[in-house]
């Protein structure tokens, strides 16, 4: 104990040190403790205060603190706040949202407001995906996948609504186009690449039906986007400027009906079709790998409402700062719309798609990447046209010639690649059967 005094250790720490020593002595075998027991007891002379170590085993304040912490963690709202807001490392970016709002009113520097708004929306988009995944535990896999795709694109939808309200039609078109291209090319390519490296000794498989249906819907969406652009650039309009807009609105209504029919097919008509992975059972899940929900169903719904509201608030400041940020930072608005906005809105989806590919779950990867692209092209873009129609904004499906051609080529590449993978799998199955 004199050594503790010479080391200037506070007297309040002595009970905890003694408790640690006693526990360690209890773990030592008896024959190794005989020598210690025979030693004479060393008198204890603390520098400031003495304690009865025989009576004190644990500080009452520490015990009360631990019991209070356990009681607070049993309180559901506080536990939910801790899980949603404090467990993810990306939540360190959450303070940038309020900081962007303060900078908007105090300084008016659009570059900083735009940059901090992007940083503040990024963790909100990730938490939206987390809350949707928790809600999927209570709704089933099919409805959960639909909810995941819907709220995964909630950020793009909110930003598009604010941009459409401000008359920034080109920003809406380019941001949605960038989201489709990033999901189909960047995310799917990175997922296949990383999954192939990790599982290079086996062939990764996925659901043939889901891939073919999504590819067909993407081709249909591209056709709906091509007709207004072809009508505009061939100068064959009967009423210049009006025929193109009317065709866009008509095509949008048809695409919305087709997407509703797809949802009926997925949820009601053939719900088991998307649950089948392969006849060989290559994707059987062990009971040890099953995950449980961390928050309740109503907590997940409440967090979805709160996070969506906060995203909508930040999106308003983000859209207002786009033009000013483009002028101050000397960045084209097209680069902001096609590259920056889709990356921020789909950051969580990008990471989750690659993670599932590494875990050999290509069905989920395709559902995140191609399913999200299908929903943007078949639902979000036509929905923006209809909402712009109601707002009095001339939002159309004319994405300009180069952008439409880029989307068409990207969809063809993805469709042919998926078909090639399906053909290779079937041919490999026949070879293995013959051998």
């Amino acid at each position: 104990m004199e050594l503790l005094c010479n080391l200037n250790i506070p007297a309040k720490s002595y009970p905890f040190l003694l408790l640690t020593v006693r526990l360690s002595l209890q773990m030592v075998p008896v024959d190794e403790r005989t020598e210690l027991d025979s030693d004479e007891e060393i008198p204890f002379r603390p520098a400031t205060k003495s304690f009865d170590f025989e009576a004190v085993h644990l500080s009452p304040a520490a015990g009360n603190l631990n019991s209070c912490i356990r009681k607070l963690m049993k309180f559901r709202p506080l536990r939910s706040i801790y899980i949603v807001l404090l467990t993810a490392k990306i939540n360190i970016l959450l303070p940038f949202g309020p900081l962007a709002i303060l900078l908007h009113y105090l300084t008016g520097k659009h570059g900083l407001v735009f940059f901090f708004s992007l940083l503040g929306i990024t963790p909100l988009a990730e938490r939206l995906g987390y809350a949707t995944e928790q809600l999927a535990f209570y709704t089933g896999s099919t409805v959960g996948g639909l909810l995941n795709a819907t709220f995964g694109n909630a950020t793009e939808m909110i930003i598009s609504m604010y941009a459409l309200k401000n008359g920034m039609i080109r920003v809406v078109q380019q941001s949605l186009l960038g989201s489709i291209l990033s999901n189909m090319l960047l995310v799917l390519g990175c997922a296949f690449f990383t999954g192939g490296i990790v599982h290079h000794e086996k062939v990764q498989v996925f659901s043939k039906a889901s891939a073919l249906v999504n590819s067909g819907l993407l081709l249909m969406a591209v056709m709906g986007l091509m007709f207004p652009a072809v009508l505009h650039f061939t100068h064959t309009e009967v009423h210049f400027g009006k025929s193109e807009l009317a065709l866009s609105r008509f095509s949008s209504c048809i695409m919305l009906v087709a997407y509703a029919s797809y949802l009926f097919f997925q949820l009601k008509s053939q719900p088991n079709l998307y649950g089948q992975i392969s006849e060989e059972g290559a994707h059987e899940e062990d009971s040890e790998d099953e995950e449980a929900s961390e928050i309740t169903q109503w907590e997940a719904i409440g967090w979805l409402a709160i996070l969506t509201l906060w995203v909508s608030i930040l999106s308003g400041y983000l859209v207002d700062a786009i033009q000013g940020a483009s002028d101050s930072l000397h960045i084209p608005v097209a680069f902001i719309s096609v590259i920056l906005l889709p990356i921020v809105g789909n950051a969580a989806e990008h990471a989750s798609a690659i993670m599932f590919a590494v875990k050999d779950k290509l069905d989920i990867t395709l559902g995140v990447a191609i399913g999200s692209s299908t929903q943007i092209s078949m639902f979000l873009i036509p929905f923006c046209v209809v909402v712009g129609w109601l707002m009095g904004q001339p939002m159309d499906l004319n994405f300009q010639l180069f952008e439409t051609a880029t989307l068409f080529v990207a969809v063809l590449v993805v469709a042919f690649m998926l078909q090639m993978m399906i053909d290779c799998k079937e041919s490999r199955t026949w070879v293995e059967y013959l051998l």
Side-chain angles (χ1 to χ4, degrees):
M1 296 301 173
E2 292 179 353
L3 179 60
L4 297 177
C5 298
N6 295 332
L7 293 175
N8 294 325
I9 296 178
K12 295 181 180 180
S13 302
Y14 292 161
F16 300 98
L17 293 174
L18 181 62
L19 179 62
T20 305
V21 172
R22 287 181 176 177
L23 291 175
S24 61
L25 288 176
Q26 290 177 1
M27 297 175 62
V28 179
V30 179
D31 54 348
E32 296 182 10
R33 293 207 312 254
T34 54
E35 194 173 326
L36 293 174
D37 295 334
S38 62
D39 293 340
E40 298 181 356
E41 184 180 357
I42 300 176
F44 169 56
R45 296 184 297 275
T48 57
K49 189 185 296 184
S50 62
F51 289 89
D52 185 8
F53 292 103
E54 296 295 331
V56 179
H57 295 281
L58 185 63
S59 174
N64 294 333
L65 180 60
N66 292 333
S67 62
C68 290
I69 292 175
R70 286 194 294 268
K71 290 180 180 179
L72 289 176
M73 291 305 295
K74 292 180 180 179
F75 189 53
R76 293 297 308 181
L78 292 180
R79 183 175 179 273
S80 177
I81 293 174
Y82 173 78
I83 292 174
V84 176
L85 298 183
L86 298 180
T87 54
K89 296 180 180 180
I90 196 174
N91 287 343
I92 196 175
L93 300 176
L94 284 176
F96 286 101
L99 183 59
I101 298 176
L102 289 177
L103 290 176
H104 174 78
Y105 290 105
L106 295 180
T107 62
K109 295 182 178 180
H110 295 288
L112 292 177
V113 173
F114 176 78
F115 179 70
F116 287 153
S117 298
L118 284 179
L119 293 179
I121 289 178
T122 303
L124 295 178
E126 191 274 337
R127 291 289 87 184
L128 271 174
Y130 170 79
T132 308
E133 291 175 358
Q134 295 299 309
L135 185 59
F137 283 105
Y138 305 96
T139 58
S141 59
T142 304
V143 179
L146 178 62
L147 288 174
N148 197 3
T150 302
F151 282 96
N153 296 321
T155 306
E156 293 92 330
M157 180 183 293
I158 295 172
I159 293 176
S160 299
M161 292 298 104
Y162 274 97
L164 194 60
K165 182 180 178 181
N166 294 340
M168 305 172 70
I169 296 176
R170 287 296 295 162
V171 173
V172 176
Q173 293 177 338
Q174 291 173 344
S175 63
L176 295 178
L177 177 68
S179 297
I180 298 174
L181 294 177
S182 64
N183 279 317
M184 286 196 305
L185 301 180
L186 177 63
V187 179
L188 198 61
C190 291
F192 283 160
F193 181 75
T194 54
I197 290 179
V198 174
H199 303 281
H200 61 279
E201 297 180 354
K202 58 181 294 187
V203 177
Q204 292 183 290
V205 296
F206 54 89
S207 175
K208 175 182 177 180
S210 177
L212 292 179
V213 170
N214 284 320
S215 300
L217 287 174
L218 284 175
L219 289 173
M220 179 180 177
V222 170
M223 290 176 60
L225 296 177
M226 284 182 61
F227 290 146
V230 171
L231 183 65
H232 174 77
F233 287 100
T234 55
H235 304 287
T236 56
E237 298 177 90
V238 178
H239 303 284
F240 183 77
K242 295 182 179 180
S243 300
E244 172 190 343
L245 186 59
L247 179 60
S248 299
R249 291 169 177 174
F250 176 77
S251 300
S252 299
C253 294
I254 297 298
M255 292 164 68
L256 289 175
V257 172
Y259 185 72
S261 302
Y262 163 70
L263 293 182
F264 177 79
F265 172 78
Q266 184 178 8
L267 300 178
K268 296 293 183 181
S269 178
Q270 300 290 334
N272 297 325
L273 185 61
Y274 292 84
Q276 298 174 355
I277 299 176
S278 64
E279 295 179 358
E280 296 85 358
H283 285 244
E284 294 179 355
E285 295 182 357
D286 299 331
S287 58
E288 299 178 357
D289 297 334
E290 293 181 357
E291 299 178 356
S293 61
E294 298 179 351
I295 57 178
T296 63
Q297 181 178 2
W298 289 107
E299 287 174 351
I301 295 174
W303 279 113
L304 284 177
I306 294 173
L307 294 172
T308 303
L309 178 62
W310 185 230
V311 168
S312 64
I313 293 174
L314 282 183
S315 298
Y317 294 96
L318 176 68
V319 171
D320 292 338
I322 287 179
Q323 189 60 49
S326 175
D327 297 334
S328 60
L329 300 177
H330 304 289
I331 300 176
V333 177
F335 179 82
I336 294 176
S337 303
V338 177
I339 305 299
L340 296 182
L341 294 182
I343 288 178
V344 170
N346 296 321
E349 290 182 333
H350 295 182
S352 62
I354 296 175
M355 177 189 67
F356 285 126
V358 171
K359 293 181 179 180
D360 197 18
K361 297 180 180 180
L362 279 189
D363 274 329
I364 304 180
T365 297
L366 293 176
V368 172
I370 300 184
S372 179
S373 300
T374 302
Q375 190 175 57
I376 293 174
S377 58
M378 290 294 295
F379 172 74
L380 192 51
I381 293 177
F383 180 75
C384 289
V385 173
V386 175
V387 171
W389 188 5
L390 298 177
M391 289 182 179
Q393 298 288 348
M395 173 71 184
D396 56 17
L397 297 179
N398 181 15
F399 279 55
Q400 304 300 323
L401 188 60
F402 176 76
E403 298 167 4
T404 305
T406 303
L407 180 61
F408 179 70
V409 172
V411 170
L412 285 182
V413 169
V414 172
F416 281 125
M417 181 190 65
L418 293 177
Q419 187 61 45
M420 288 174 58
M421 294 176 67
I422 293 173
D423 294 340
C424 290
K425 176 181 176 297
E426 291 178 350
S427 61
R428 180 185 177 91
T429 303
W430 277 105
V431 170
E432 292 177 351
Y433 175 75
L434 294 175
L435 293 178

